[in-house]
Amino acid sequence: MRRSLAYWNREFQRIESPILRYGFAVVAVAIALGVAFALQHYQFREVELPVLAVAIAFTTWYAGAGPSVVAVLLSSACFDYFFTEPLYSFNISTRDLPYFLIFVVWAGIVASFSAVRRRVEDSLRQTGDRLQVEVEERARREDEIKSLNRELAKRAAELEASNKELESFAYSVSHDLRAPLRHLAGYSELLQKQAASSLDHKGRRYVQTILASAKRMGNLIDDLLAFSRLGRTETRRTAVDLQQVVKEVVAEIGRDTKDRDIAWKIGALPVCYGDRSMLKLVVVNLVSNAVKFTRIRTRSEIEIGCLDGNNDEVEVFVRDNGAGFDMQYANKLFGVFQRLHLAEQFEGTGIGLATVQRIIHRHGGKVRAEGAVDEGAAFYFSLPNAHDATERTGSTP
């Protein structure tokens, strides 16, 4: 019953036609007049006032302000004509004038209260409708977010499985290539030793090319194996003194570059949080690249330092005055087997910077590079500070 009344209440209040609204006022007063006559016939006295007031209240509630005025006027006219002396006349006697005025005032009060309540209910209903729309919209967005999260989790699982398959494939291929490569290099060396006297200059050059290519392929396999092992190696995070790590790397590389004029500039470096062996590999790759690409300079200049300005992370750089690179190809630097220089100019396999990026990403950091052709290059890597490193690297694969 309550739901039915609420339904018809909403349906009546949706009436927009003026004819229906003002017709509702006339019908409501007519019905109230009939009820008043019926009650009067059954000896109920002075009931016309509340009955007509109820008609005015209903008209105000369901039809609005304009029809309520019509209802008040019609009710006043009917009250004067049928219920005040002299009957069946619009004249009002002095004795019945207060009674008539009370009816008019009461009708106005009822109409005003009904109008106020209607406005309040309309406002509440509109607010409820807006809230309902917002709730439905929020529920729809939450469903979309859940669907996207499920799809993202599915894609992440597929990507993780693909990465593991690729790592296993690279590891297996690298192992399978070692045996034939050893045979190739071994028999080439035997041929060089035993048949050197019978080979002409061109033949000896061919054998030397085979040996150099076998050696290069061996280096590629070694680097590929090291790169694939990074995905399976567990990181052991501790406090790492980068200053000490850089000193060790520079000392090791310095022993192999005694015949070169290299000006080292090492600034103050912080203590960070990570796997010491992996971070040392990062420094080795970056410093080795700087040494390699400054070989064309009479005096090589290599600077290692730390940028200031970010309290959440530390950013270390390795800068040199070497061959540099074109910035439009900077996105290729950290790809596997990606090289911007010919092998005849600078040796290498193109895996070192990919290894750097993978290690830094596992530590929750970023890598970037800046440079210009023949003007040197600078490589940057960021690491989280020790106080929030665990939080940032906890979800890093």
Side-chain angles (χ1 to χ4, degrees):
M1 179 65 71
R2 184 179 300 174
R3 285 196 298 269
S4 298
L5 290 175
Y7 171 78
W8 288 111
N9 185 33
R10 289 193 301 269
E11 291 299 317
F12 276 122
Q13 291 189 5
R14 289 174 185 168
I15 297 174
E16 299 293 338
S17 173
I19 295 176
L20 293 177
R21 290 168 59 225
Y22 285 96
F24 184 89
V26 174
V27 171
V29 173
I31 292 174
L33 186 62
V35 171
F37 281 136
L39 292 174
Q40 193 178 56
H41 175 74
Y42 289 103
Q43 305 302 317
F44 288 94
R45 302 299 179 187
E46 299 181 357
V47 294
E48 58 276 0
L49 178 61
V51 171
L52 291 172
V54 169
I56 294 171
F58 268 86
T59 302
T60 306
W61 185 259
Y62 290 110
S68 71
V69 173
V70 173
V72 170
L73 294 177
L74 287 176
S75 297
S76 301
C78 291
F79 184 74
D80 177 32
Y81 189 80
F82 293 107
F83 303 108
T84 58
E85 297 293 340
L87 296 177
Y88 311 116
S89 171
F90 289 106
N91 293 326
I92 303 173
S93 64
T94 305
R95 184 173 62 84
D96 290 330
L97 181 60
Y99 187 53
F100 180 77
L101 292 176
I102 290 173
F103 170 77
V104 173
V105 172
W106 175 250
I109 292 174
V110 170
S112 63
F113 273 104
S114 297
V116 170
R117 182 169 178 180
R118 177 187 171 91
R119 287 196 300 270
V120 171
E121 184 170 294
D122 287 343
S123 178
L124 290 175
R125 186 175 61 255
Q126 292 173 3
T127 302
D129 292 341
R130 287 196 299 269
L131 288 175
Q132 182 66 25
V133 171
E134 291 179 2
V135 168
E136 292 175 355
E137 182 66 20
R138 179 174 295 181
R140 185 183 63 80
R141 287 197 297 265
E142 288 178 354
D143 291 339
E144 291 179 355
I145 291 172
K146 290 179 181 178
S147 177
L148 290 174
N149 285 339
R150 288 193 296 269
E151 184 68 20
L152 182 61
K154 180 181 177 182
R155 298 296 183 188
E158 293 175 353
L159 181 60
E160 184 178 359
S162 298
N163 286 338
K164 289 182 178 179
E165 290 177 0
L166 287 174
E167 290 172 1
S168 300
F169 175 76
Y171 193 80
S172 300
V173 168
S174 299
H175 270 287
D176 293 341
L177 288 175
R178 280 184 175 276
L181 183 63
R182 282 196 300 268
H183 293 159
L184 178 64
Y187 283 110
S188 297
E189 288 178 354
L190 289 175
L191 179 64
Q192 187 181 41
K193 291 178 181 179
Q194 295 181 7
S197 58
S198 61
L199 294 173
D200 58 7
H201 176 72
K202 183 179 291 186
R204 288 191 295 272
R205 183 165 59 83
Y206 288 162
V207 173
Q208 189 63 37
T209 301
I210 293 172
L211 286 172
S213 297
K215 182 180 179 180
R216 174 174 171 76
M217 188 173 181
N219 293 333
L220 283 170
I221 291 174
D222 291 339
D223 288 347
L224 184 60
L225 281 172
F227 184 76
S228 64
R229 278 195 294 266
L230 282 176
R232 298 189 297 272
T233 303
E234 182 181 357
T235 55
R236 299 177 178 87
R237 294 184 174 88
T238 58
V240 180
D241 186 352
L242 287 180
Q243 190 83 42
Q244 182 63 33
V245 171
V246 169
K247 286 181 179 179
E248 292 176 7
V249 172
V250 171
E252 293 170 3
I253 294 177
R255 287 193 291 269
D256 300 326
T257 56
K258 292 180 180 179
D259 57 336
R260 289 182 51 186
D261 183 10
I262 301 178
W264 297 95
K265 183 179 179 182
I266 302 174
L269 297 172
V271 175
C272 63
Y273 189 77
D275 188 296
R276 192 180 193 279
S277 61
M278 288 188 178
L279 294 180
K280 184 175 181 179
L281 183 58
V282 168
V283 176
V284 167
N285 277 291
L286 293 180
V287 174
S288 298
N289 273 359
V291 170
K292 176 173 63 177
F293 289 105
T294 57
R295 191 171 56 207
I296 60 175
R297 306 299 183 197
T298 304
R299 179 180 173 82
S300 303
E301 297 178 0
I302 300 174
E303 181 183 2
I304 306 170
C306 181
L307 298 180
D308 297 326
N310 195 333
N311 295 326
D312 296 330
E313 62 183 15
V314 296
E315 189 168 21
V316 180
F317 65 86
V318 178
R319 185 180 294 123
D320 63 68
N321 66 335
F325 61 90
D326 191 336
M327 280 296 292
Q328 66 175 321
Y329 304 114
N331 60 327
K332 294 185 176 182
L333 285 172
F334 299 99
V336 179
F337 300 134
Q338 295 290 333
R339 291 175 52 84
L340 301 185
H341 301 86
L342 298 176
E344 293 77 9
Q345 294 176 308
F346 300 100
E347 70 280 0
T349 59
I351 297 181
L353 290 179
T355 301
V356 168
Q357 177 174 259
R358 190 164 194 177
I359 291 173
I360 295 303
H361 283 180
R362 289 193 66 175
H363 283 75
K366 298 178 182 178
V367 293
R368 62 186 179 93
E370 297 176 355
V373 177
D374 204 35
E375 294 183 11
F379 291 86
Y380 302 83
F381 66 90
S382 62
L383 293 169
N385 279 332
H387 70 275
D388 64 341
T390 304
E391 178 182 351
R392 290 181 56 179
T393 59
S395 59
T396 305

